[in-house]
Amino acid sequence: MDKKQQSHTSIQKNTKNHQLEDYRKSHGEQLLTTNQGVRVSNTDDSLKAGDRGPTLMEDFHFREKLTHFDHERIPERVVHARGFGVHGYFQVYESMAEFTKAKFLQDPSVKTPVFVRFSTVVGSRGSADTVRDVRGFATKFYTEEGNYDLVANNIPVFFIQDAIKFPDVVHAIKPEPNNEIPQASAAHDTFWDFVVNTPETAHMIMWLLSDRAIPRSFRMMEGFGVNTFRFINHQGKARFVKFHWKPLLGVHSLVWDEAQKLAGKDPDYHRRDLWDAINMGAYPEYELGVQMLEEEEEFNFDFDILDPTKIWPEEIIPVRRIGKMTLDGNVDNFFAETEQVAFHPGHVVPGIDFSNDPLLQGRLFSYLDTQLIRLGGPNFHEIPINRPVAPIHNNQRDGYHRMTIDRSSVSYSPNSLQGNAPMPASETEGGYVHYEEKVEGKKVRQRSQSFQDHYSQATLFWNSMSTAEKQHIIEAFHFEVGSVMDKQIKQRVVDMFNNVDGQLAAQIAAGVGATPPANPGNAGITASSPAVSQENTVKDAKTRKVAILLENGFNHQEVSQVMEALTAAGVHSEIISKNLGMLTSVDGQQLEVGKNYVTTGSIKYDAVYIAGGQQSINTLMMQGDALHFINEAFKHAKTIGATNEGIDLLMASAIQGVAMAGADTQAQVITEMGVITVRNVTDMKNFTKEFINGMAQHRHWIRQNKKQMIPA
Ligand code: HDD
């Protein structure tokens, strides 16, 4: 059984997978037919009047084949066009009955099937994965009570407070309408023009320019429902709730130079990473977290809990982890599943309800509306990936692409011909009853006063960043605002972010040729939220990838020990060399090369290892590609390891001097700035331990000053 089959087998017992089975089709070993089932004798030549003559109208096979092809595309999503979907399941840890009656959150033994689609927001369907952008993280739970969609992002706040501005922010950030430039990027005038005219964007911009917007992997991102929802329990008691996904591998990011290079070298980097991980059985896992507030606590905070530009700091309102999602199945067909899946925050089940968050209220209109145009009519719920596992019974009929053959002559309510069936369900029968929130007020087009503080939490975020994270944000401002042509906009960015932090504004100004603020401002906020810094995340080397640089004449004993230890730690390794094929060690052992320098680069790995073997090292020293590989990995703050003669290659690279002091004489492992070396040893145990520890740190920001001197 191959890996792909295995991953499907593991979700075999899942009800949704069972349902999809009816629609899966293999075409192997079959005779070719038209869509009418008529066998086709020749599909390579159209029917012509003479073999050099014109094609005939009566060639029904030609016309059907071309017509179908001409209609193969559907409109891409107006936002989140580029995405990647996977199957999995969710299990609650213990009954949440105290807080919600949602059935899928009651019984820890129930596995609820899910389909998750990760996405970027701004780029078109063919854009690169690693651009600076928000990532979508939408989950469809196929519960026994119907579908529940948690349509989340990897950033906990949003650009705007009211959904009526959504078309404006999207128009501003999308490529400019005259020349459709730039693709998948916020680094242009119209976006920053919108920002400086819309102070409520300040907090979101801080997140967007942080490392969060360039994730290392979909497997290493948090997810946030952003909007405030409600949990309702069996007694009808309501609580406000915010949803979180917490990845068990921690939250990790690329560096900007790496992200840009990956966009060229492997535009599919994130989808490939997820596809490969699932096929290898390294199933990504995320815990579902909830922050809950009693209704009476609504006004206890210095922010409005309905304002989607605010977080509920985890230090004040803790995240309770209530269950785990495991992603264990790749799709069979991208279009049928990933492209046709339709999410909607209004797909809720009893026990989950809405709040008056004005962004959420608008979203509740937009998603159904967009599916109608994108999927061509009101029957998109019948597309296999969208079908609930719960039965559907109602009087809705007809429309484009109707699949169901409704048998009764009755399609209205009330009716007596059918005993008024299908009948509304009572609450005890599981009927969805909206929470009876008391609402009062004049009709106004106004924003609440409690939504007017746009800077305090932007400052809180800035205060929470580590030195390296702050530096990355400043560099991101230099790139983004540095790409803006209009000088006034640049100046206004500096002035606007002076409200967040004076130092930040001064540093932005220095990089983009604007005037630093005369009076360094700061909202006077010193508070921070350690939970938002990636420095405080889970540190684990599992599922990371190591590049092993080798040439003929390597030391097999060293390489095999290191490779075995890596595999045992759940780390993947790949041999990189000038040419593909087999390499031979000093003692005649052979290893197969996985990639050569033209098909890969250091940017695709988390760490580099250089093994000993004089002949191998002598050859590597003459290769610019190998030296560049090391320099670049060093510049991107990755773990680098070298054993015995391997150290000589580091000495020939631009990182010379790091971790090599005494390396000539001592048989002990030296670790300096994430560079790990050892000489004069044959047992690799201590080295690999340190090397794996180094990789678990993700990156070694301590190199900040030294790496600037590396010309990679
Ligand atoms: Fe949205 C898609 C997440 C605000 C209107 N949104 C979409 C997707 C995600 C989000 C993950 C992709 C779903 C998929 O993979 O198919 N959106 C969010 C979050 C928001 C948010 C977390 C802030 C809380 N969105 C938002 C607003 C509006 C929309 C304010 C409109 C008023 N979003 C849409 C949409 C999309 C969409 C136009 C495009 C494709 C789709 O719905 O199915 O309706």
Side-chain angles (χ1 to χ4, degrees), residues 272-507:
R272 192 190 306 284
D273 168 273
L274 187 56
W275 174 265
D276 287 349
I278 290 178
N279 278 348
M280 284 189 281
Y283 301 143
E285 295 172 310
Y286 309 79
E287 287 184 312
L288 181 65
V290 291
Q291 285 178 296
M292 288 185 287
L293 282 179
E294 301 295 330
E295 298 257 299
E296 306 77 59
E297 294 177 291
E298 182 171 1
F299 300 108
N300 284 2
F301 305 93
D302 57 3
F303 53 88
D304 193 321
I305 63 150
L306 300 185
D307 178 352
T309 65
K310 303 294 182 293
I311 56 167
W312 297 359
E314 291 186 27
E315 293 76 11
I316 311 175
I317 306 162
V319 177
R320 173 170 171 171
R321 296 174 184 231
I322 66 168
K324 193 174 75 177
M325 175 167 75
T326 307
L327 302 179
D328 65 350
N330 278 314
V331 297
D332 286 302
N333 183 284
F334 185 91
F335 181 84
E337 301 176 68
T338 306
E339 196 58 11
Q340 293 200 107
V341 69
F343 294 94
H344 177 15
H347 291 160
V348 287
V349 287
I352 300 177
D353 210 317
F354 313 116
S355 76
N356 293 332
D357 170 343
L359 194 77
L360 174 60
Q361 290 289 318
R363 292 181 77 194
L364 294 177
F365 164 73
S366 188
Y367 288 73
L368 176 55
D369 187 43
T370 207
Q371 309 308 350
L372 294 177
I373 180 78
R374 194 172 72 79
L375 298 170
N379 287 318
F380 62 86
H381 62 282
E382 295 190 328
I383 297 171
I385 195 68
N386 294 324
R387 275 175 186 257
V389 293
I392 305 175
H393 300 290
N394 59 43
N395 293 319
Q396 295 168 31
R397 292 289 184 274
D398 310 343
Y400 282 111
H401 319 304
R402 183 69 173 179
M403 310 280 284
T404 309
I405 304 173
D406 299 291
R407 300 183 76 183
S408 169
S409 60
V410 173
S411 55
Y412 53 88
S413 170
N415 71 67
S416 33
L417 290 177
Q418 215 169 250
N420 203 28
M423 279 173 287
S426 68
E427 197 170 349
T428 44
E429 287 168 323
Y432 189 95
V433 178
H434 289 265
Y435 176 60
E436 290 187 7
E437 182 187 1
K438 188 169 178 220
V439 192
E440 241 178 331
K442 289 186 183 155
K443 275 191 222 165
V444 287
R445 267 191 202 280
Q446 275 174 21
R447 197 80 56 90
S448 166
Q449 265 304 320
S450 55
F451 277 44
Q452 300 302 330
D453 169 14
H454 304 312
Y455 294 110
S456 301
Q457 283 210 352
T459 307
L460 176 112
F461 180 75
W462 174 251
N463 291 347
S464 313
M465 295 288 97
S466 64
T467 312
E469 286 172 313
K470 282 187 173 166
Q471 188 56 36
H472 297 165
I473 292 173
I474 291 163
E475 287 164 11
F477 266 106
H478 289 173
F479 176 85
E480 295 279 320
V481 184
S483 309
V484 169
M485 309 302 286
D486 187 292
K487 288 200 169 122
Q488 268 189 19
I489 295 177
K490 287 188 199 181
Q491 189 59 51
R492 287 180 65 190
V493 172
V494 172
D495 298 342
M496 175 172 167
F497 284 86
N498 193 34
N499 294 312
V500 177
D501 186 89
Q503 275 293 319
L504 168 67
Q507 299 211 50

Side-chain angles (χ1 to χ4, degrees), residues 77-80 117 119 136-138 151-153 158 163 166 226-227 341 343 359 362-363 366-367 370-371 374:
R77 289 165 175 83
V78 59
V79 285
H80 297 267
R117 184 175 179 272
S119 51
F137 187 153
V151 195
N153 281 340
F158 205 63
F166 191 65
V226 180
N227 297 123
V341 69
F343 294 94
L359 194 77
R363 292 181 77 194
S366 188
Y367 288 73
T370 207
Q371 309 308 350
R374 194 172 72 79

Side-chain angles (χ1 to χ4, degrees), residues 134-167:
V134 182
R135 298 300 184 286
F137 187 153
T139 306
K140 191 179 285 294
F141 296 79
Y142 303 94
T143 88
E144 287 172 41
E145 297 178 298
N147 288 351
Y148 166 56
D149 293 354
L150 176 52
V151 195
N153 281 340
N154 78 328
I155 289 182
V157 290
F158 205 63
F159 293 102
I160 47 168
Q161 295 171 320
D162 189 316
I164 199 168
K165 293 179 75 64
F166 191 65

